[in-house]
Amino acid sequence: MQELQFLGATGCKPHCREEILRARNSSMEPSKLVLLQLKLFLILLLGAAGVCMGAGEKLWKGLGTTPHLESIFRGRCNEFISLENPELGDKNCSEIWEAFKTVFHKDPCSVLPSDYDLFINLSRHPIPRDKSLFWENNYDVVTAYAQNGRRLLPITNMLYGRIVDLLDWCRKENSSELDYQSCPTTEDCENNAMDSFWKKASSQYAYDSSGVIYVMLNGSEPSGAYPVKGFFADYEIPNFQKDKVTRFVIWVMHEIGQPHIESCGEGSMKILENRLKEMEFKYECINDYRPVKLLKCLDYSTHPECVFTSAAESTQQRIPFLFGGGWGSSLAFLLFFFGINFRNSILTF
Amino acid sequence: MVREDSSPWSQKCRCFMLGLVVILMLGIVVIFVTVIFARRRDPPAELPQWKGGGTTHNLKEIILGRCFTYIRMVNPGLRKDCLKIWETFENAFISKNPCNITEQDYQPLMELAAHPILCNKTLLWSKTNELAHQYTKVQGSLLTLEDTLLGYMADKVTWCGSPSSTEMNYQSCPRWNECTNNSNTIYWKMASKIFAEAACGVVYVMLNGSISQPFRNSSIFGSVEIHHLNPEKVPLVKIWVMHNIEEQSSDSCSDSSIKDLKSIIEGRNIAFSCENDHRDVQFIQCVRNPEQKACRICGTDH
């Protein structure tokens, strides 16, 4: 069609509009008019599709590359070394960035964990004994509890984890540029830049861990506290060194006010226990480890699960005297529990 | 040996060459003298020796990275030109005497990087650095100065320049007791002033009840922030006096320094309230000391 020649991907250009108007003004038979209108409609449709393609359609399911990726990367790397860990001063953030960048030579669905080998070699550093913290479905509370590495060192407080924490990155399909519109997730393809990164980093982190290994799991997660397929199961557990690890301590945390789907020894927790014991690791499991529970309580200070006993204890002591032990004191406790709640809710104001 | 075949032309040529060589040598001598003279006038730039740590290494990368992280992830939607902010920041102190920094030096940066904050979200603090920041990081809705762009970028870093150089001084920077108008102190004073001026709604303050004077006139809180709260925007200041969790809770709200604070605040037409050991903040303290009496939770003893 003559009109299409003028179009390209950007819709109807001025001179083609003139042609159409000229064609309209000249006397036309009704059938030809309808045909012309159909042509116009098709042109507009193709034009719109062209605009969509040109402007960058979302090819993948995940968020696009974080803007200013390089600046954020370098800033975090330098901050980690210069400000927080000067003993790692021999590491060079420019080198580390260059090593990371090499994955952008590959197609967005062809990135393998081994593509990060150089990056990991340059950014790897020792983990102090008894400081490793592994986790699933608990990012916020892990971050809060770890206190930026002061209490424990989850992977996001290691140099390689901190640099890319919460960032997204991938290259465009048919160009060497980064894709800021979208990036592939696991659903899109297995060998995407980010999954491969975390597979490699997780393996290294587990390999370098020693002493007591802490693991925080979520007992309110509907699909189970221990995901049988996940980074912990597939990339971390297989890489623990038997001669360096003394024992596993698992904390099964439950969300405040939500159902306890699984606790120690139940469901998937039994699977984890068996697996670790088969590997001849010592195993210990605690439900709602108190220090972490206290942290979770910050947002639920008046919730019954979070009320301090200091008020309850003094009143509780009086009751057994009246009712005797056992069932009587439980009833008394319940009565006072509600009473204290009421009193505490007044106090917070 | 005199050449027998020297024609008048080659003689002229020789004269010419000789003249050229003389001029060249004179030129070299002149340049030499100028250089020596110049060097004598401007001795090689020697950086002054201060008592404090020098500028943080890779400061530019750190500040830029923090700025981009802040506008993208901490406070998404905030539109700021991070490169311009860095330039303006550098210009405030580069090539200047780090003991003679003024508010005018930082004014352009403050204007570029300041941003509004939501009402009822301001948390001021004094002598409770670690606790206040742990609290806001976990609780997530209150903001300290270090949770705003100006504070976020400069937190825990050091910087200073020197008049004899266009570079930052990485060797040393003046400490507060060497000169009060130094690059860091002036920055924090101005940023604190702006933060206080921007506050609206209820303003929270976390003070330390385990030290002799929970409120001090000499602190940035006492000397800058409290005096820049706007009574037309801030109806109430709520003080939380926190004690070390191992101690018995005492009533620091009746402490004389807190009474002074009360009169200052009320004198500015702002209402005042004080609470000892605000429970939500205690949770943070309890994480480290779960066995303390004050930390036992009803019904979940482990």
Side-chain angles (χ1 to χ4, degrees), chain A residues 67-68 71-72 75-76 78-79 82-83 144-145 147 151 166-167 287-288 290-291 293-295 297-298 301 305-309 313 337 344, chain B residues 57-58 61-62 65-66 68-69 72-73 130 134-135 138-139 156-157 279-280 282-284 286-287 290-291 294-298 300-302:
Chain A
H68 310 291
S71 284
I72 296 178
R76 286 175 174 189
N78 281 301
E79 190 174 9
S82 303
L83 262 186
Y145 186 65
Q147 242 189 286
R151 194 173 279 124
L166 297 175
L167 303 182
N287 285 313
D288 289 309
R290 178 154 341 114
K293 172 81 177 245
L294 284 159
L295 203 58
C297 275
L298 198 134
S301 55
E305 284 186 51
C306 296
V307 172
F308 284 149
T309 56
E313 261 175 12
F337 170 81
N344 280 339
Chain B
H57 284 282
N58 306 112
E61 278 82 8
I62 293 175
R66 283 175 172 185
F68 285 123
T69 299
R72 284 290 150 197
M73 296 160 77
E130 209 186 310
Q134 275 176 47
Y135 179 67
V138 178
Q139 191 252 15
K156 298 188 179 74
V157 296
R279 169 113 55 80
D280 285 2
Q282 267 195 326
F283 279 112
I284 299 283
C286 285
V287 177
E291 296 309 314
C295 299
R296 304 238 188 96
I297 299 180
C298 222
T300 54
D301 288 83
H302 284 286

Side-chain angles (χ1 to χ4, degrees), chain B residues 34-46 164:
Chain B
T34 318
V35 166
I36 291 183
F37 197 60
R39 288 187 90 195
R40 219 184 267 163
R41 205 184 271 163
D42 295 319
E46 259 182 34
S164 52

Side-chain angles (χ1 to χ4, degrees), chain A residues 2 17 40 47 64 90 96 99 122-123 131 139 146 155 163 179 185 196 209 221 250 259 267 331 334:
Chain A
Q2 219 178 358
R17 230 180 278 138
L40 273 172
D90 57 320
I96 294 175
L122 291 174
S123 57
K131 288 288 199 186
Y139 178 83
I155 193 171
I163 290 179
D179 192 340
T185 61
S196 295
S209 295
E221 170 57 42
I250 321 283
L331 175 67
L334 268 169

Side-chain angles (χ1 to χ4, degrees), chain B residues 6-301:
Chain B
S6 55
S7 56
W9 185 80
S10 59
Q11 215 173 8
K12 265 193 197 159
C13 189
R14 221 187 303 154
C15 277
F16 181 67
M17 292 299 281
L18 207 67
L20 212 64
V21 170
V22 169
I23 291 170
L24 212 67
M25 290 192 73
L26 267 168
I28 291 170
V29 168
V30 167
I31 291 167
F32 204 63
V33 168
T34 318
V35 166
I36 291 183
F37 197 60
R39 288 187 90 195
R40 219 184 267 163
R41 205 184 271 163
D42 295 319
E46 259 182 34
L47 294 172
Q49 290 302 304
W50 303 105
K51 298 205 181 102
T55 301
T56 306
H57 284 282
N58 306 112
L59 183 72
K60 178 178 179 181
E61 278 82 8
I62 293 175
I63 300 237
L64 267 180
R66 283 175 172 185
C67 183
F68 285 123
T69 299
Y70 191 85
I71 64 175
R72 284 290 150 197
M73 296 160 77
V74 179
N75 193 345
L78 187 66
R79 293 214 180 171
K80 294 287 179 195
D81 183 344
C82 287
L83 288 162
K84 185 127 196 263
I85 285 177
W86 164 256
E87 248 180 64
T88 316
F89 171 72
E90 215 188 356
N91 288 337
F93 64 91
I94 227 56
S95 304
K96 295 186 185 157
N97 181 349
C99 273
N100 224 343
I101 302 290
T102 64
E103 293 205 352
Q104 281 76 33
D105 289 323
Y106 279 117
Q107 191 57 38
L109 170 68
M110 297 290 147
E111 278 166 25
L112 262 185
H115 59 88
I117 29 185
L118 294 172
C119 291
N120 305 307
K121 300 280 183 210
T122 301
L123 175 66
L124 303 174
W125 56 272
S126 187
K127 314 296 176 210
T128 48
N129 192 341
E130 209 186 310
L131 187 58
H133 293 108
Q134 275 176 47
Y135 179 67
T136 58
K137 281 206 170 43
V138 178
Q139 191 252 15
S141 81
L142 290 186
L143 299 168
T144 61
L145 170 59
E146 291 73 20
D147 297 310
T148 66
L149 179 57
L150 279 166
Y152 191 84
M153 287 192 297
D155 194 22
K156 298 188 179 74
V157 296
T158 308
W159 64 90
C160 65
S162 90
S164 52
S165 165
T166 52
E167 298 287 316
M168 292 181 262
N169 186 344
Y170 292 99
Q171 260 107 66
S172 62
C173 283
R175 262 203 279 212
W176 186 84
N177 50 12
E178 288 183 86
C179 52
T180 46
N181 289 348
N182 68 65
S183 352
N184 294 287
T185 306
I186 299 289
Y187 179 98
W188 286 109
K189 274 203 172 137
M190 284 189 84
S192 302
K193 185 169 83 156
I194 289 176
F195 185 56
E197 283 169 346
C200 67
V202 178
V203 167
Y204 302 90
V205 185
M206 197 185 297
L207 298 179
N208 189 340
S210 294
I211 55 175
S212 57
Q213 265 194 300
F215 170 65
R216 290 162 191 212
N217 275 324
S218 53
S219 63
I220 288 196
F221 168 65
S223 60
V224 177
E225 289 170 333
I226 213 69
H227 301 286
H228 285 95
L229 292 174
N230 184 345
E232 282 170 33
K233 294 198 289 179
V234 177
L236 168 66
V237 169
K238 278 188 148 177
I239 311 289
W240 297 332
V241 187
M242 304 303 300
H243 300 87
N244 291 336
I245 200 85
E246 308 90 37
E247 291 172 18
Q248 287 274 44
S249 180
S250 53
D251 183 16
S252 292
C253 284
S254 337
D255 180 271
S256 57
S257 71
I258 301 288
K259 293 219 163 90
D260 290 340
L261 175 60
K262 179 171 199 263
S263 44
I264 296 174
I265 291 177
E266 287 178 341
R268 301 199 66 227
N269 266 332
I270 300 174
F272 170 93
S273 84
C274 182
E275 186 189 344
N276 287 300
D277 294 308
H278 183 66
R279 169 113 55 80
D280 285 2
V281 183
Q282 267 195 326
F283 279 112
I284 299 283
Q285 294 176 298
C286 285
V287 177
R288 203 183 282 181
N289 298 279
E291 296 309 314
Q292 290 297 321
K293 224 179 192 172
C295 299
R296 304 238 188 96
I297 299 180
C298 222
T300 54
D301 288 83

Side-chain angles (χ1 to χ4, degrees), chain A residues 28-207:
Chain A
M28 272 181 139
E29 290 163 48
S31 58
K32 270 199 182 161
L33 207 64
V34 169
L35 218 70
L36 181 67
Q37 283 176 347
L38 263 167
K39 277 189 202 171
L40 273 172
F41 177 76
L42 264 165
I43 288 163
L44 279 167
L45 206 67
L46 280 163
V51 168
C52 278
M53 302 275 264
E57 127 203 312
K58 282 194 185 183
L59 211 55
W60 312 111
K61 295 195 168 80
L63 290 174
T65 302
T66 308
H68 310 291
L69 179 74
E70 183 178 346
S71 284
I72 296 178
F73 185 107
R74 284 176 182 270
R76 286 175 174 189
C77 180
N78 281 301
E79 190 174 9
F80 190 91
I81 296 171
S82 303
L83 262 186
E84 296 166 28
N85 300 278
E87 73 277 8
L88 299 179
D90 57 320
K91 296 205 181 295
N92 182 333
C93 289
S94 291
E95 256 184 14
I96 294 175
W97 166 251
E98 292 301 320
F100 180 84
K101 248 171 65 173
T102 57
V103 303
F104 299 132
H105 294 155
K106 294 188 137 189
D107 284 339
C109 280
S110 308
V111 181
L112 300 170
S114 54
D115 293 330
Y116 290 103
D117 281 355
L118 179 60
F119 166 81
I120 290 287
N121 274 338
L122 291 174
S123 57
R124 184 181 169 194
H125 58 97
I127 311 173
R129 248 181 115 74
D130 308 329
K131 288 288 199 186
S132 298
L133 175 59
F134 295 82
W135 55 273
E136 286 281 10
N137 298 313
N138 258 319
Y139 178 83
D140 287 340
V141 70
V142 161
T143 307
Y145 186 65
Q147 242 189 286
N148 202 22
R150 270 172 295 201
R151 194 173 279 124
L152 287 175
L153 266 165
I155 193 171
T156 45
N157 287 133
M158 299 294 291
L159 175 59
Y160 42 85
R162 161 86 83 79
I163 290 179
V164 302
D165 188 25
L166 297 175
L167 303 182
D168 296 280
W169 65 95
C170 66
R171 201 202 72 181
K172 277 189 183 161
E173 181 115 82
N174 293 319
S175 123
S176 58
E177 288 173 7
L178 298 183
D179 192 340
Y180 292 96
Q181 301 298 316
S182 65
C183 282
T185 61
T186 328
E187 276 179 54
D188 291 311
C189 58
E190 189 189 337
N191 295 330
N192 66 73
M194 291 183 282
D195 279 345
S196 295
F197 175 93
W198 290 111
K199 285 175 188 172
K200 174 71 194 178
S202 302
S203 309
Q204 190 67 59
Y205 179 64
Y207 186 87

